Amino acid sequence: SCPLRGKPERRRLADAAHQLGDYLMGIALFAGVGGLKAHQARLDVIASNIANVNTIGYRGSRIIFQDLFSQTARGGSAPSGTYGGSNPMQTGLGVRVGSIDLMMEQGSLQTTGRASDLAIQGMGFFILRGVDGTAYTRDGSFDLNSVGELVDPATGMKVQGYVADSSGAVDINAPLQDVIIPVGTAGIVKATSTFSLSGNLNADAPTGTSIVRTVEVYDSLGTTRELNLTFTKAGTPANRWAFAATYDSPSMGVQTVGTGNIDFQADGTLAAGSTGSILVTGPMMLENGSQPEDLNITVDFSKIYQLATDGTSDLSVSAQDGFPRGIMQSFTIGLNGEVNGVFSNGLTRTFAQVALATFQNNGGL
């Protein structure tokens, strides 16, 4: 063939070879750069996990790589006759970041010594509300602000929960509200509803013998009220003592507010049906313009005996369930999130319950 005719073809072949080389070099460079970028992202994720090793409530992340589509240089062929077939030839084009996922496993719990610090065992998020809307967090580093609201001190957002009614009952179907813990301001009283007597009434006492005891009880306003209890040995039937309670009313004078009979068996133990009750109405307690609720008290005689003694009766009031006014001094938050106030008079009361939110796909938050 003519040499002049071959030169252009050789030049075209040479140009094509150079272009192919440049293309392949470009693929290699792209794959290398892509790998560097993907592994840089992996290092970023690892560095963030390490940097937040002491961040409360932090959720670690993991990175997942995916290979890019491969370029097919030669397709595969099936066996036929004496030909055994061949596999395809493919060139990988590199790697990319497939996903960065949050690790939502339970972390370790630590004791802080602060009653307002909370942690979640299991799934769920605390619910916070602020001027920018609602947020959710696993970080339970909370504190009380100047008005007793439980807040996230880092953002000022308020912790949400269910507020208890005046009896301490919590309705978890009620709307969410700010959790308020009024330490140092809230007061509570408990009116007496029962008291117990214990000891012995002398079995050898003559008929008409009277034993007088004074018991202090509390009304619905926390005011101390004194009741005088008189036990009188009855003549008939045998082994009976009459019971009477009186109250010296500020507005009405001495009033009988309870009567009854206490019967004993032959062995000195209390007979069935020996119970007593006391009713002091609000008008009887009217004083300085304040009128508390009626005092309706059940008297427990179950610890009284009638045995022979040296001539004396050692009857006494062993317990009563009323309390004067107390101020909330501290609080505790239970395993179910209930906030219980502890008062100076020994009472406790539930104020609220911290709410948790759960999601079907935590990783999508």
Side-chain angles (χ1 to χ4, degrees):
S1 62
C2 178
L4 295 176
R5 294 180 59 186
K7 288 181 179 180
E9 293 178 0
R10 286 197 296 271
R11 283 197 297 270
R12 286 195 295 272
L13 290 173
D15 291 341
H18 285 300
Q19 291 174 1
L20 178 60
D22 292 341
Y23 175 70
L24 294 176
M25 182 60 71
I27 293 176
L29 290 175
F30 177 80
V33 172
L36 289 174
K37 293 177 63 178
H39 282 82
Q40 179 61 56
R42 179 174 179 270
L43 291 175
D44 292 342
V45 170
I46 294 174
S48 179
N49 289 341
I50 295 174
N52 285 279
V53 67
N54 289 317
T55 301
I56 299 173
Y58 177 75
R59 301 288 95 184
S61 299
R62 68 173 184 178
I63 188 168
I64 297 177
F65 292 156
Q66 289 182 339
D67 61 332
L68 296 176
F69 284 115
S70 299
Q71 183 181 39
T72 301
R74 184 188 69 188
S77 59
S80 62
T82 59
Y83 179 64
S86 62
N87 293 327
M89 294 175 58
Q90 294 179 320
T91 301
L93 299 179
V95 68
R96 71 182 180 92
V97 175
S99 66
I100 301 176
D101 302 323
L102 289 176
M103 309 296 288
M104 300 302 297
E105 289 79 8
Q106 172 69 47
S108 60
L109 304 181
Q110 297 180 355
T111 301
T112 66
R114 291 171 54 89
S116 58
D117 284 345
L118 304 179
I120 300 173
Q121 180 73 50
M123 303 304 294
F125 296 84
F126 297 111
I127 306 170
L128 307 178
R129 283 185 183 167
V131 294
D132 296 326
T134 303
Y136 305 93
T137 180
R138 295 276 296 187
D139 184 357
S141 303
F142 301 137
D143 205 348
L144 298 182
N145 63 13
S146 60
V147 293
E149 295 170 327
L150 190 63
V151 300
D152 174 14
T155 63
M157 301 185 77
K158 301 176 182 179
V159 180
Q160 299 298 292
Y162 308 103
V163 177
D165 59 20
S166 58
S167 66
V170 175
D171 181 8
I172 60 174
N173 295 314
L176 291 177
Q177 300 182 51
D178 300 339
V179 174
I180 300 176
I181 308 175
V183 176
T185 59
I188 190 173
V189 301
K190 185 177 187 300
T192 301
S193 62
T194 182
F195 64 80
S196 302
L197 295 163
S198 63
N200 183 65
L201 289 171
N202 184 17
D204 295 333
T207 300
T209 299
S210 295
I211 306 297
V212 180
R213 296 290 184 268
T214 300
V215 56
E216 290 186 345
V217 297
Y218 300 96
D219 63 24
S220 60
L221 300 178
T223 304
T224 303
R225 304 285 178 175
E226 286 191 353
L227 299 174
N228 290 317
L229 311 180
T230 303
F231 302 86
T232 304
K233 182 69 176 290
T236 55
N239 299 328
R240 168 173 287 185
W241 289 73
F243 160 76
T246 59
Y247 172 67
D248 190 357
S249 168
S251 57
M252 303 179 184
V254 177
Q255 300 288 314
T256 299
V257 293
T259 59
N261 294 312
I262 309 173
D263 293 315
F264 296 93
Q265 303 182 88
D267 61 356
T269 59
L270 192 70
S274 295
T275 59
S277 62
I278 296 173
L279 176 62
V280 183
T281 63
M284 289 185 191
M285 296 180 282
L286 181 63
E287 188 174 6
N288 299 325
S290 64
Q291 182 175 327
E293 298 176 356
D294 294 349
L295 265 175
N296 196 341
I297 302 173
T298 300
V299 185
D300 181 8
F301 297 137
S302 62
K303 297 179 181 179
I304 298 179
Y305 300 89
Q306 182 190 243
L307 301 173
T309 64
D310 59 357
T312 61
S313 297
D314 56 1
L315 191 67
S316 63
V317 178
S318 58
Q320 64 92 25
D321 64 352
F323 288 92
R325 176 177 178 267
I327 298 298
M328 184 174 173
Q329 294 180 319
S330 61
F331 68 94
T332 61
I333 301 180
L335 294 177
N336 61 350
E338 284 191 350
V339 181
N340 297 303
V342 181
F343 291 81
S344 57
N345 58 6
L347 289 176
T348 61
R349 176 183 163 190
T350 300
F351 279 86
Q353 182 173 0
V354 177
L356 295 181
T358 57
F359 299 90
Q360 293 291 339
N361 178 20
N362 290 333
L365 295 175

